[in-house]
């Protein structure tokens, strides 16, 4: 008589890693970018980041109380959202808008869906999109060395001389890579973001193919469009989005094939917005758009269930 194989309910994969471990790993990986932002923008970078984090944590606490959920504001997720939201806004933007965007990030980007693990869109980008739609001038006004002006992407978009960009004098490529330029708080230093991304890859928190495909797609599209590919990948929020937002476990596909499709879609959309759209940057909207396609991507890339018969 054959033995009967007993199988318990899923999930069958067990790990000692907790949500807190993952969140604080990502937070640790963002520290180089925060240090770089503090170096280039001074104490203002710390103030904006702190206000954003505290606003996110307070909003999540209130929402969890109202929804009668366990209070888990120290699991790292609200802190991470606060840091990411601060990183995608100008460091000199009014603190009122910082608070409003942080509240929207948690309340509408996360808690309205049920909380951690249930949100469809990246919460920090939801907050940024809300502020950009409500106060477009505030979120596109950049300062560097106490001077206002255009960012590198804006200069390239309008076909202006790179001398008009908010950037330190010297080697153009080196300064865009290191971070001696104007822009959002956490996006200026591609080097700092690359170091953090490498740490996440080493810790196996992200699939290296996702950022590689996104950055590679934009690089190739820049070549095809006749633009400078290095200035396009080093400028704006491409590295931040590729390493820290497109790799979000909740809002990205769960299959390897799905992740590659997702990453390629982001790269294509970023390129289309930058070269054909009216706005010089497109990382935030590209990720949000592809977030909306994740359920469909999961559906058509998931492996056939064991024992399934069509």
């Amino acid at each position: 008589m054959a033995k009967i194989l007993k199988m318990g309910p899923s999930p069958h994969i067990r790990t000692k890693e907790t949500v807190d471990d993952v969140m604080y790993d990502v937070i640790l990986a963002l520290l180089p970018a925060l240090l770089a932002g503090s170096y280039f923008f001074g104490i203002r970078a710390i103030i904006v980041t702190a206000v954003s984090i505290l606003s996110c944590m307070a909003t999540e606490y209130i929402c969890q109380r109202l929804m009668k959920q366990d209070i888990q504001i120290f699991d790292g997720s609200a802190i991470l959202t606060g840091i990411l939201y601060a990183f995608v806004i100008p460091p000199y933007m009014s603190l009122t808008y910082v608070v409003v965007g942080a509240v929207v990030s948690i309340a509408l980007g996360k808690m309205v869906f049920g909380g951690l693990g249930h949100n469809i869109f990246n919460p920090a980008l939801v907050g940024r999109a809300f502020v950009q739609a409500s106060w477009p001038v505030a979120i596109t006004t950049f300062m560097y060395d106490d001077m206002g002006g255009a960012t590198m992407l804006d200069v390239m978009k309008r076909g202006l001389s790179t001398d008009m960009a908010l950037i330190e004098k010297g080697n153009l490529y080196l300064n865009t890579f290191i971070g001696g330029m104007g822009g959002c708080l956490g996006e200026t230093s591609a080097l700092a973001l690359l170091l953090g991304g490498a740490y996440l890859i080493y810790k196996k928190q992200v699939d290296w193919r996702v950022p590689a495909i996104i950055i590679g797609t934009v690089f190739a599209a820049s070549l095809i469009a006749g633009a400078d590919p290095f200035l396009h990948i080093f400028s704006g929020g491409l590295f931040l989005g590729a390493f820290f937002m497109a790799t979000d476990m909740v809002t990205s596909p769960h299959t390897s094939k799905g992740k590659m499709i997702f990453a390629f879609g982001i790269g294509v959309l970023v390129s289309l917005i930058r070269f054909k759209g009216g706005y010089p940057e497109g990382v935030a909207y590209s990720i949000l758009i592809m977030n909306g396609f994740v359920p469909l991507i999961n559906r058509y890339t998931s492996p056939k269930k064991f024992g399934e018969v069509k």
Side-chain angles (χ1 to χ4, degrees):
M1 182 177 178
K3 294 183 178 179
I4 298 177
L5 177 64
K6 294 183 179 180
M7 182 178 294
S10 61
H12 303 293
I13 298 176
R14 296 285 186 251
T15 177
K16 294 181 179 180
E17 192 173 53
T18 65
V19 170
D20 300 43
D21 295 332
V22 175
M23 295 299 168
Y24 285 105
D25 254 349
V26 180
I27 291 170
L28 182 61
L30 286 168
L31 288 183
L34 178 58
L35 292 174
S38 302
Y39 174 79
F40 292 115
F41 300 116
I43 191 64
R44 180 70 183 186
I46 301 297
I47 293 173
V48 169
T49 304
V51 169
S52 180
I53 291 173
L54 292 174
S55 299
C56 283
M57 294 179 73
T59 304
E60 183 157 312
Y61 175 82
I62 293 171
C63 289
Q64 288 177 344
R65 286 294 299 270
L66 292 174
M67 298 168 68
K68 297 181 179 179
Q69 296 182 351
D70 293 337
I71 305 301
Q72 297 179 329
I73 61 172
F74 293 106
D75 63 3
S77 61
I79 298 173
L80 178 58
T81 297
I83 295 174
L84 289 175
Y85 171 67
F87 277 16
V88 294
I89 59 177
Y92 297 101
M93 191 173 74
S94 169
L95 293 182
T96 300
Y97 302 148
V98 176
V99 173
V100 171
V103 170
V104 170
S105 295
I106 295 296
L108 298 184
K110 179 180 177 182
M111 299 308 297
V112 74
F113 294 100
L116 180 63
H118 300 284
N119 50 291
I120 301 173
F121 303 100
N122 184 283
L125 293 182
V126 171
R128 187 192 194 281
F130 179 87
V131 173
Q132 184 168 336
S134 304
W135 301 283
V137 175
I139 206 166
T140 54
T141 301
F142 300 100
M143 299 284 292
Y144 187 73
D145 283 345
D146 297 323
M147 297 184 297
T151 62
M152 180 57 68
L153 287 178
D154 193 31
V155 164
M156 291 190 291
K157 182 71 173 180
R158 293 190 283 170
L160 303 175
S161 169
T162 54
D163 292 336
M164 300 183 68
L166 287 171
I167 188 169
E168 290 183 353
K169 301 301 181 182
N171 187 287
L172 182 64
Y173 297 102
L174 182 62
N175 284 330
T176 52
F177 180 64
I178 293 176
M181 58 188 298
C184 292
L185 192 158
E187 298 176 348
T188 57
S189 178
L191 173 60
L193 293 167
L194 184 60
L195 290 174
Y199 171 76
L200 291 181
I201 293 172
Y202 169 74
K203 295 286 287 186
K204 298 183 179 180
Q205 299 292 10
V206 303
D207 186 337
W208 67 269
R209 292 173 295 182
V210 173
I213 291 173
I214 294 173
I215 296 170
T217 301
V218 175
F219 187 93
S222 301
L223 283 175
I224 295 172
D228 190 314
F230 290 101
L231 290 182
H232 265 281
I233 65 171
F234 293 157
S235 304
L238 188 64
F239 273 46
L240 180 63
F243 283 105
F244 295 96
M245 294 180 171
T247 56
D248 176 34
M249 296 180 181
V250 178
T251 59
S252 61
H254 55 65
T255 65
S256 296
K257 184 187 295 184
K259 289 177 181 178
M260 289 186 282
I261 295 171
F262 178 74
F264 180 71
I266 291 173
V268 170
L269 287 173
V270 170
S271 303
L272 287 174
I273 294 173
R274 285 187 177 184
F275 297 121
K276 299 297 182 181
Y279 189 62
E281 177 62 292
V283 174
Y285 285 118
S286 298
I287 294 175
L288 287 172
I289 290 171
M290 290 306 298
N291 284 161
F293 282 98
V294 167
L296 192 64
I297 294 174
N298 281 336
R299 178 178 180 182
Y300 288 103
T301 61
S302 295
K304 186 167 65 175
K305 296 177 182 177
F306 180 76
E308 179 182 8
V309 178
K310 291 187 177 179

